[in-house]
Amino acid sequence: MERSKTFHRKKIVTIFLVCLLIFCGLAVRVVYLMVFQSEHYTQMAQELHQRERKIKAKRGRILDCNGNVLADNRTVCTISVIHNQIREPERVIEVLCRELGLSEETVRKRVEKVSSIEKIKSNVDKAIGDAIRAYKLEGVKVDEDYKRYYPYQELASKVLGFTGADNQGILALESYYEEYLQGEPGIILEMTDARGVELTEAGEDRVEPVSGDDLVLSMDMNIQQYATQLAVQVMKAKEAQSVSILVMRPDSGEILAMVDVPEYNLNDPFTLSDAMLQAWEEKAAEEESAAAEEKEADEGQETAARAMTEEEKQDLLNRMWRNACINDTYEPGSAFKIITASAALEEGVVTESDTFSCPGFIVVDDRKIRCAKVQGHGSETFVEGTMNSCNPVFITVGQRLGVDRYYDYFEQFGLKQKTGIDLPGEAGTIMHKKEDMGPVELATVSFGQSFQITPIQLATTVSSLINGGKRVTPHFGIKTVSEAGEVTKAFDWSAQKEILSEDTSRRLRAILFQVVENGGGKNGKVEGYSVGGKTATSETLPRGTGKYISSFLGFAPAEDPKVLALCIIRVPKGIYYGGQIAAPVVRQLFENILPYLEEKEEQKQEGTGQ
Amino acid sequence: MAGRRDRAKTEHYFDYSLLFIILFLVCFGLVMIYSASSYNANVEMKNEMYFLIHQGGAALAGIVAMFVVSMIPYHFWERFAVLGYFTSIVLIALVLTPLGVEVNGARRWLNLGISVQPAEIAKLAMILFLASMICKIGRNVRSLKGFVLILGAAGVVCVMVWKITDNMSSAIIIFGIAFLMLFVASPDYKRFIAIGAIGVAGAALVVFVVSQAASTEGMNFRFVRVLAWLNPEKYSSGTGFQTLQGLYAIGSGGIFGKGLGRSIQKLGYLPEEQNDMIFAVICEELGLFGAIAVILIFLLMIWRFMVIANNAPDLFGALLVVGVMGHIAIQVILNIAVVTNTIPNTGISLPFISYGGTSVLFLLIEMGLVMSVARRIQLKDV
């Protein structure tokens, strides 16, 4: 029997010591992983284990200047399924189909899809959501969130805009003030096993959503409502294509109302309004008759009332959502004589008492440009020429300024830039290039033709000219207010640079007062108030179709304007003179809102006085 | 030779510390297996006790076998050394016959009424065989011839385990056991240091060459594992998946752990959670303290082996204990190194704790052998 020798023992001890060394090394490695790398791996593991569910933030409301809620939130439900937690797929499919009114195919596809969480439908009525919850189906989640709701349906639809499926602002103010309104979504983090089954004992982490801020507008709902009524009335009476009414404060640029009928239902923005459907049918009928003519030549082609394509529907929806006050340009016509007059008075090329002679036409280069009054106005002062809206007078004044000076004023008045209104998609001015402006172009521009601007541009520029000469920025947004009622942001719309001297501005107001008091705008006169204004009638392009745009721009009081209104009636039937159909609309509006605004002003003063 | 019947005359030793360590590890292993496997066992087999019951049965049989073996003087087994060696070779070869069972794409098991893993039997057989052989050749072990003979005998089995059962880890362990036993038997150091140095240099060279490779396409999976070892997050969806999931578990345990039974990674994220990766679950649930405690327990066990080996009444007994010591030490070191991504991934289970019936049964028989050696230690003043 061999005994162990000393070297055997030594070697055994060596082995132990080597093991000890390696074990220590491993212990160090474990300490490194579990202490120094712990945070890193814990975080990565958590990302793996947690499933995120977003909680929509409550979107900020939109309020008018009196605190009326124009855009609100309603509680709705989002229905989703968690594939791995479903116990009875057939029953789930059957219930969801029935309650949500979806096709079995759609629901089945989503229920059977292997994903951690699958949304079935959002914006479901709370009642339906509660009903589904009552079934207590395993794997079906009913989450409450908010949906935009517009209590006044069509009111100011083109100004407010609407929100999409995820409550994101899509159009107009909802889109422009998205960052203030949207808030921050919250998150529900729940732990799951590798198959996606929720671990109930692990609980859930919630990051609460932060509500968006309320947006307070300069818009006055009462004025907006009344202006809408007037616009609808005149559109019906004149069978017009559309009617826009803009009401703003010339001194600050605050917009009190912006109407562009036909409007659409904000709570159902993806359904074509009756007006749009009617327009579509008319167009289809035209196409049909055109096709019928072709049919004579090409027999056998059936082109009966065809269905609307997806593209055509989208096109019509875009037209329905368009706000003609800012998205479309038009030829302003005679109302633009205000601008020509301002430039000429400022430059001193004309005075109120300068006399002109109108034979009913004027020859520029080799072109004969007619006055609206074919037999001519005869001899008249500049003020009378403005009251008569006499084209030869303004062409002459334009010629006195010359292309260079006229163009400089055009730019100085801010007409070549956008107004900077707080609505997306403002259209730019379409104007001749300076080098392309010949005598004929200068002549036509002088009385508001051959170029195009937006209605908001006209209203803003005139506001700036009559308010003492400060260029204002038209706007709706006044401030944002947090859910707790604190003002989080007050928007600064302070006036930009001087574009006209005070003196010229005062003289301009006096002339425009005469236009309404004794001239072509006398239908805009309001008992007890001094109103200034200018009428306009322009033929649409292409010329010769007998389609006109009639408009009237008025402001009151004439000596110290507190409010300015612009009414544009597109393609009226019958009488189409702005002075006869648009001026009465502004008159009715003023008759109503001038006392109202005065009263409000008094209340405000009393309020601050106390 | 064997069978000294002088119990009445001398007081014999019983290593209660070792017994306690063994029983503790077996019980702790069962608790951890239940914790790690119950969730998935419930999902997949509708029986959360499935793995616990299987392992518990094997452990019980193992403990009985351990006590029986500890009662039998260890020289009794010497006569079976050669038989055991060849039996293990035959069993490994049998894996190629229809008796072989394939699990998870690896053909490592034999169906002999119960499923057994020949590699586990081979480890025990190798320890017995080498101890006996070294004693037989006596001083010849110091010559190069003896050296080559011993390593050759072990090498044959290693190659078979590696190539036939495609189990490189077990091959490494068997080779390691032989290497350590030879190291103890021979007074020389240089040879062993040279072999060790060559091994380390070779491994470093392989790692360097593989890490320089432009693409993993067509590369042997072991080389891809080397790449995944260097950068597990880059190979997170494939080869590095298991490693990375293990690291998540270890890292998210932190200092105090999530508490017994509270592992999230075991809920289907971590593969082999009750098996090779069980140490990761221990880390996640019991934290740094639990992990260090497990390492310490194994260190304690190896220390007891050292004490027993150094006091063994003869060289045969000492070598038996050295073999067992090598077996446990290598397996623990490799397992923890793999789980902590200290070395490239290779499938090695944690002794006594990982799930595996054959493994725990044969480990406990080895423990019986060690205890049998310990009993022969005479408590006399030397």
Side-chain angles (χ1 to χ4, degrees):
Chain A
M1 184 63 50
E2 195 180 347
R3 300 283 306 177
S4 299
K5 297 188 176 60
T6 313
F7 80 81
H8 290 135
R9 297 205 169 90
K10 264 174 131 181
K11 288 217 159 180
I12 290 168
V13 173
T14 308
I15 292 178
F16 175 74
L17 291 178
V18 170
C19 285
L20 181 67
L21 206 69
I22 298 176
F23 272 62
C24 286
L26 288 176
V28 168
R29 171 78 179 159
V30 169
V31 169
Y32 169 72
L33 287 176
M34 300 184 76
V35 177
F36 298 100
Q37 291 282 79
S38 175
E39 209 172 310
H40 171 69
Y41 286 121
T42 305
Q43 196 194 343
M44 285 177 81
Q46 234 170 35
E47 278 167 23
L48 183 72
H49 302 155
Q50 285 180 330
R51 175 170 48 207
E52 263 190 35
R53 272 160 59 210
K54 283 231 160 81
I55 322 169
K56 276 190 200 172
K58 199 167 161 189
R59 195 175 169 81
R61 299 173 302 167
I62 300 180
L63 311 172
D64 85 339
C65 64
N66 304 320
N68 294 306
V69 180
L70 301 175
D72 206 346
N73 298 301
R74 207 167 43 175
T75 308
V76 290
C77 296
T78 298
I79 316 291
S80 9
V81 287
I82 296 167
H83 182 84
N84 282 309
Q85 270 168 258
I86 292 175
R87 290 276 156 82
E88 312 157 279
E90 289 310 316
R91 192 164 133 76
V92 168
I93 293 170
E94 183 252 332
V95 168
L96 293 183
C97 281
R98 181 151 40 82
E99 293 289 341
L100 298 173
L102 294 170
S103 75
E104 196 197 317
E105 195 192 345
T106 339
V107 177
R108 183 173 294 278
K109 211 169 87 189
R110 291 184 190 157
V111 168
E112 288 175 357
K113 186 171 168 195
V114 182
S115 67
S116 77
I117 187 161
E118 188 75 12
K119 200 197 291 182
I120 301 279
K121 197 178 178 189
S122 52
N123 289 336
V124 176
D125 267 2
K126 192 167 181 299
I128 297 177
D130 287 342
I132 291 174
R133 200 179 282 138
Y135 285 100
K136 292 199 164 58
L137 294 168
E138 297 249 20
V140 175
K141 287 252 162 200
V142 180
D143 289 328
E144 285 188 6
D145 56 45
Y146 303 101
K147 186 189 193 270
R148 213 51 165 163
Y149 174 67
Y150 302 90
Y152 301 99
Q153 316 254 12
E154 293 200 346
L155 188 75
S157 61
K158 294 178 180 182
V159 177
L160 295 176
F162 52 90
T163 59
D166 294 321
N167 259 1
Q168 79 282 24
I170 288 187
L171 280 176
L173 290 172
E174 291 273 26
S175 155
Y176 192 92
Y177 287 104
E178 175 73 6
E179 63 171 306
Y180 301 99
L181 292 168
Q182 64 183 355
E184 272 174 54
I187 298 169
I188 302 177
L189 290 168
E190 43 189 25
M191 303 286 271
T192 69
D193 74 358
R195 282 161 288 266
V197 178
E198 199 179 324
L199 305 172
T200 40
E201 71 272 21
E204 55 180 31
D205 273 350
R206 277 174 81 98
V207 179
E208 289 301 328
V210 180
S211 301
D213 288 344
D214 287 351
L215 174 68
V216 177
L217 301 182
S218 59
M219 178 188 285
D220 188 314
M221 195 192 81
N222 297 321
I223 301 178
Q224 178 79 20
Q225 265 177 338
Y226 189 60
T228 309
Q229 277 174 26
L230 290 174
V232 170
Q233 270 172 25
V234 72
M235 184 175 77
K236 278 197 183 138
K238 300 305 296 177
E239 295 175 54
Q241 213 173 56
S242 70
V243 176
S244 300
I245 296 180
L246 249 167
V247 185
M248 65 189 283
R249 292 188 184 274
D251 48 352
S252 64
E254 284 179 16
I255 300 173
L256 296 170
M258 184 183 274
V259 179
D260 184 39
V261 289
E263 307 251 357
Y264 61 94
N265 186 352
L266 286 171
N267 292 324
D268 190 14
F270 290 95
T271 302
L272 287 169
S273 63
D274 291 344
M276 291 316 292
L277 284 173
Q278 203 182 324
W280 156 257
E281 273 162 23
E282 277 166 24
K283 187 178 155 238
E286 262 175 49
E287 270 176 24
E288 209 176 321
S289 61
E293 278 170 34
E294 259 178 54
K295 207 169 158 187
E296 311 270 302
D298 188 12
E299 198 72 40
Q301 281 259 316
E302 276 298 326
T303 50
R306 61 192 180 83
M308 201 183 289
T309 65
E310 227 16 68
E311 208 176 310
E312 281 170 324
K313 185 179 176 195
Q314 192 53 52
D315 196 50
L316 285 172
L317 283 174
N318 285 334
R319 271 168 61 190
M320 180 171 90
W321 300 331
R322 255 184 116 76
N323 184 352
C325 295
I326 58 159
N327 300 136
D328 292 330
T329 55
Y330 80 122
E331 283 184 311
S334 304
F336 200 73
K337 286 169 183 162
I338 301 173
I339 282 86
T340 307
S342 306
L345 290 170
E346 180 84 348
E347 195 62 26
V349 296
V350 74
T351 62
E352 285 83 342
S353 52
D354 280 8
T355 51
F356 298 84
S357 167
C358 170
F361 64 90
I362 186 166
V363 177
V364 179
D365 261 3
D366 52 351
R367 296 250 312 256
K368 190 168 155 186
I369 299 173
R370 291 187 177 284
C371 188
K373 194 172 179 185
V374 185
Q375 62 272 39
H377 293 104
S379 176
E380 56 190 344
T381 64
F382 179 62
V383 175
E384 284 164 347
T386 312
M387 287 157 67
N388 296 332
S389 196
C390 177
N391 287 349
V393 169
F394 279 85
I395 292 168
T396 313
V397 169
Q399 283 167 342
R400 288 190 193 168
L401 278 165
V403 169
D404 280 347
R405 281 194 285 182
Y406 197 98
Y407 212 89
D408 288 348
Y409 277 106
F410 195 91
E411 283 177 342
Q412 182 184 323
F413 292 164
L415 283 159
K416 283 206 81 175
Q417 286 145 23
K418 292 182 180 176
T419 64
I421 187 173
D422 50 354
L423 284 174
E426 184 186 356
T429 298
I430 305 169
M431 176 62 175
H432 308 281
K433 285 198 187 114
K434 191 174 181 178
E435 55 270 28
D436 297 340
M437 285 247 307
V440 177
E441 284 77 21
L442 176 64
T444 50
V445 169
S446 298
F447 62 92
Q449 283 186 11
S450 80
F451 70 100
Q452 297 199 346
I453 56 174
T454 56
I456 189 70
Q457 178 67 272
L458 181 70
T460 305
T461 308
V462 174
S463 290
S464 312
L465 295 174
I466 60 168
N467 71 6
K470 304 182 303 290
R471 175 79 189 183
V472 292
T473 305
H475 60 271
F476 284 102
I478 300 295
K479 60 186 176 186
T480 58
V481 180
S482 73
E483 209 177 19
E486 281 166 36
V487 175
T488 43
K489 168 102 187 170
F491 299 103
D492 178 23
W493 300 102
S494 51
Q496 303 168 354
K497 57 177 186 187
E498 293 268 323
I499 57 168
L500 194 75
S501 67
E502 284 249 27
D503 183 54
T504 313
S505 180
R506 184 185 49 74
R507 287 160 70 193
L508 180 68
R509 291 198 295 266
I511 296 171
L512 294 175
F513 170 69
Q514 285 301 321
V515 173
V516 175
E517 196 61 20
N518 304 310
K522 56 179 175 287
N523 282 330
K525 232 187 318 188
V526 178
E527 196 73 40
Y529 293 92
S530 62
V531 177
K534 183 72 193 79
T535 62
T537 311
S538 54
E539 198 174 359
T540 61
L541 291 170
R543 311 259 189 242
T545 54
K547 290 182 178 171
Y548 293 87
I549 297 176
S550 322
S551 59
F552 179 79
L553 184 150
F555 57 89
E559 48 288 344
D560 180 22
K562 294 281 181 231
V563 61
L564 176 144
L566 170 64
C567 171
I568 299 173
I569 304 169
R570 295 184 191 82
V571 197
K573 295 230 170 91
I575 300 166
Y576 55 81
Y577 293 109
Q580 289 180 39
I581 62 170
V585 176
V586 173
R587 187 194 73 224
Q588 279 172 277
L589 182 78
F590 278 171
E591 279 172 352
N592 208 296
I593 70 170
L594 288 176
Y596 168 76
L597 286 172
E598 268 181 359
E599 199 181 315
K600 258 183 84 172
E601 188 73 17
E602 274 166 27
Q603 273 175 2
K604 199 172 141 197
Q605 264 159 12
E606 273 171 33
T608 52
Q610 273 165 4
Chain B
M1 205 176 116
R4 300 206 274 174
R5 307 260 171 206
D6 50 358
R7 194 179 299 170
K9 276 185 272 174
T10 49
E11 201 179 332
H12 284 290
Y13 174 77
F14 190 88
D15 198 326
Y16 286 101
S17 316
L18 181 63
L19 179 68
F20 172 77
I21 292 169
I22 294 164
L23 291 180
F24 176 84
L25 276 174
V26 169
C27 294
F28 178 70
L30 290 177
V31 170
M32 287 317 297
I33 281 174
Y34 177 67
S35 169
S37 69
S38 58
Y39 190 85
N40 283 334
N42 189 30
V43 170
E44 281 155 28
M45 297 157 191
K46 301 284 167 226
N47 177 10
E48 57 176 38
M49 308 275 275
Y50 179 88
F51 292 102
L52 178 65
I53 288 168
H54 277 70
Q55 183 78 356
L60 213 60
I63 287 170
V64 171
M66 176 180 77
F67 279 114
V68 170
V69 170
S70 76
M71 298 295 183
I72 302 170
Y74 56 90
H75 280 282
F76 171 76
W77 305 106
E78 207 173 349
R79 68 199 69 165
F80 300 112
V82 178
L83 181 68
Y85 177 75
F86 286 106
T87 307
S88 64
I89 288 178
V90 170
L91 285 176
I92 294 165
L94 275 177
V95 170
L96 291 173
T97 69
L99 283 172
V101 178
E102 196 175 307
V103 177
N104 293 338
R107 207 174 169 90
R108 290 178 186 172
W109 286 263
L110 272 183
N111 186 4
L112 304 172
I114 51 163
S115 104
V116 291
Q117 207 174 347
E120 297 296 335
I121 299 169
K123 287 171 195 167
L124 176 58
M126 185 58 66
I127 293 169
L128 187 62
F129 175 71
L130 288 183
S132 147
M133 191 167 166
I134 289 169
C135 287
K136 276 214 181 82
I137 62 173
R139 292 183 72 84
N140 285 332
V141 78
R142 303 179 182 197
S143 68
L144 186 65
K145 195 182 150 198
F147 186 83
V148 172
L149 187 72
I150 303 268
L151 278 192
V156 171
V157 178
C158 288
V159 171
M160 284 182 76
V161 168
W162 181 12
K163 288 299 173 191
I164 292 178
T165 68
D166 191 24
N167 189 343
M168 195 172 79
S169 332
S170 288
I172 290 173
I173 294 166
I174 293 170
F175 184 82
I177 293 169
F179 184 82
L180 288 180
M181 289 174 78
L182 197 53
F183 174 73
V184 170
S186 159
D188 189 33
Y189 279 92
K190 284 180 205 143
R191 250 179 236 163
F192 298 96
I193 293 173
I195 291 180
I198 290 169
V200 170
L205 185 71
V206 167
V207 168
F208 178 75
V209 170
V210 168
S211 66
Q212 298 301 310
S215 118
T216 58
E217 214 166 297
M219 198 186 263
N220 183 305
F221 77 97
R222 292 196 206 283
F223 295 156
V224 181
R225 280 183 177 181
V226 172
L227 289 174
W229 164 59
L230 293 170
N231 190 356
E233 284 168 36
K234 188 176 164 195
Y235 295 86
S236 62
S237 60
T239 320
F241 180 76
Q242 182 174 324
T243 304
L244 197 59
Q245 295 296 330
L247 289 176
Y248 286 176
I250 295 169
S252 59
I255 292 175
F256 298 106
K258 291 179 178 164
L260 190 61
R262 297 249 175 91
S263 162
I264 305 279
Q265 280 295 90
K266 71 185 182 189
L267 308 178
Y269 293 105
L270 178 65
E272 306 279 335
E273 72 278 9
Q274 76 277 30
N275 211 325
D276 294 353
M277 299 304 277
I278 199 161
F279 186 71
V281 177
I282 294 172
C283 289
E284 189 181 356
E285 296 194 344
L286 305 179
L288 183 62
F289 281 94
I292 297 290
V294 168
I295 292 176
L296 277 179
I297 293 272
F298 277 114
L299 198 61
L300 218 56
M301 184 178 232
I302 290 165
W303 172 65
R304 285 321 299 170
F305 289 156
M306 181 193 76
V307 171
I308 293 168
N310 275 352
N311 292 295
D314 56 17
L315 184 62
F316 178 65
L319 285 175
L320 279 183
V321 179
V322 167
V324 174
M325 176 178 174
H327 180 193
I328 304 287
I330 293 170
Q331 216 162 314
V332 170
I333 289 168
L334 289 185
N335 177 271
I336 295 179
V338 163
V339 173
T340 55
N341 200 34
T342 317
I343 61 166
N345 194 356
T346 178
I348 288 180
S349 58
L350 190 59
F352 301 108
I353 299 178
S354 284
Y355 177 73
T358 320
S359 170
V360 78
L361 178 64
F362 278 80
L363 278 169
L364 285 168
I365 291 173
E366 286 176 22
M367 293 306 111
L369 271 181
V370 172
M371 277 169 16
S372 169
V373 173
R375 288 180 84 123
R376 300 290 133 187
I377 297 173
Q378 291 172 1
L379 292 177
K380 284 192 293 190
D381 290 44
V382 180

